[in-house]
Amino acid sequence: MLNANKTLLKFFSWKPLKLNYWKSYLYSSLECISLPPSVTDLQEGWCRGASCLTKVKISPDSKNFKYLNPDEKIILSKSNQESELFDDIIFASSDIEKVEIPNFIKRIKSYSFYECEFLKTVTFSEKSTVESICKESFPYSSTENIFIPNSVKFIGDGAFSWCQNLHNVEFEEGSQLNSAG
């Protein structure tokens, strides 16, 4: 359901639902999406180009998604649906200014921080376990510096493309990086 201002999208479904066609939201003025517990998967690129999207409301009954912090700006999912661990970052509000990636995160999924133009600071917690920074994870952000932890084995194509303020990329000693796009 889309309201008169075209800023809120709510799904009403009791059957499992997957959001996967990213061009549906491309360059839209959509600001908020409300996800019922029936949404089981937000596939790669589901929010790409939705630069006005600042709020994704997750049902408290969701078994597939949760917020990283009480400010509800970052959404996590599970890399393994059988696990209780939410270890993938899949979305960040477009108005986020800084993020610290906690040590239980394994992957920063594609388009997670896409067009987060206010994002200046990205840090990784000590003893980070991030293994993958997937394709186009941070494009169009205002990140100025990034320190890649030695746990990162893969950086996807365009992970930091169009980051015009990015001046410094450092790799932690003992880097395990095998592939960078």
Side-chain angles (χ1 to χ4, degrees):
M1 176 173 93
L2 208 49
N3 78 5
N5 295 326
K6 298 182 181 177
T7 58
L8 174 64
L9 183 62
K10 277 190 171 184
F11 295 94
F12 299 98
S13 175
W14 290 268
K15 296 179 182 176
L17 177 65
K18 294 183 179 189
L19 294 183
N20 61 4
Y21 189 61
W22 64 267
K23 288 185 181 180
S24 301
Y25 311 116
L26 190 61
Y27 307 118
S28 74
S29 60
L30 192 63
E31 296 173 2
C32 181
I33 294 177
S34 184
L35 302 175
S38 58
V39 175
T40 59
D41 190 21
L42 297 172
Q43 295 182 354
E44 181 179 284
W46 73 275
C47 62
R48 181 178 177 208
S51 60
C52 296
L53 188 58
T54 56
K55 182 71 177 164
V56 176
K57 295 180 182 180
I58 300 172
S59 167
D61 299 325
S62 177
K63 294 183 181 1
N64 301 298
F65 311 103
K66 78 173 196 174
Y67 298 112
L68 174 61
N69 295 320
D71 66 2
E72 300 181 350
K73 298 272 186 192
I74 296 177
I75 296 178
L76 307 178
S77 69
K78 301 174 183 179
S79 60
N80 177 351
Q81 295 303 313
E82 304 301 317
S83 172
E84 292 298 315
L85 183 62
F86 289 83
D87 55 355
D88 288 347
I89 293 179
I90 60 165
F91 173 80
S93 172
S94 62
D95 63 353
I96 194 168
E97 295 177 12
K98 63 182 179 177
V99 61
E100 180 174 346
I101 310 296
N103 64 2
F104 59 85
I105 296 298
K106 297 281 189 215
R107 295 185 299 181
I108 301 172
K109 300 291 288 202
S110 296
Y111 314 109
S112 296
F113 294 92
Y114 194 93
E115 291 187 352
C116 290
E117 63 183 285
F118 302 106
L119 179 62
K120 291 186 179 189
T121 306
V122 177
T123 57
F124 293 84
S125 64
E126 254 185 71
K127 300 184 181 182
S128 174
T129 60
V130 171
E131 296 175 353
S132 298
I133 300 173
C134 299
K135 76 176 182 182
E136 296 191 39
S137 297
F138 291 93
Y140 300 104
S141 75
S142 296
T143 304
E144 298 170 351
N145 301 293
I146 189 136
F147 182 79
I148 307 292
N150 64 13
S151 59
V152 174
K153 297 175 183 174
F154 173 80
I155 299 175
D157 291 341
F160 300 99
S161 58
W162 304 289
C163 293
Q164 296 179 1
N165 296 329
L166 184 59
H167 302 292
N168 188 33
V169 178
E170 290 184 58
F171 294 87
E172 186 175 12
E173 188 176 323
S175 175
Q176 299 179 41
L177 189 63
N178 294 325
S179 177

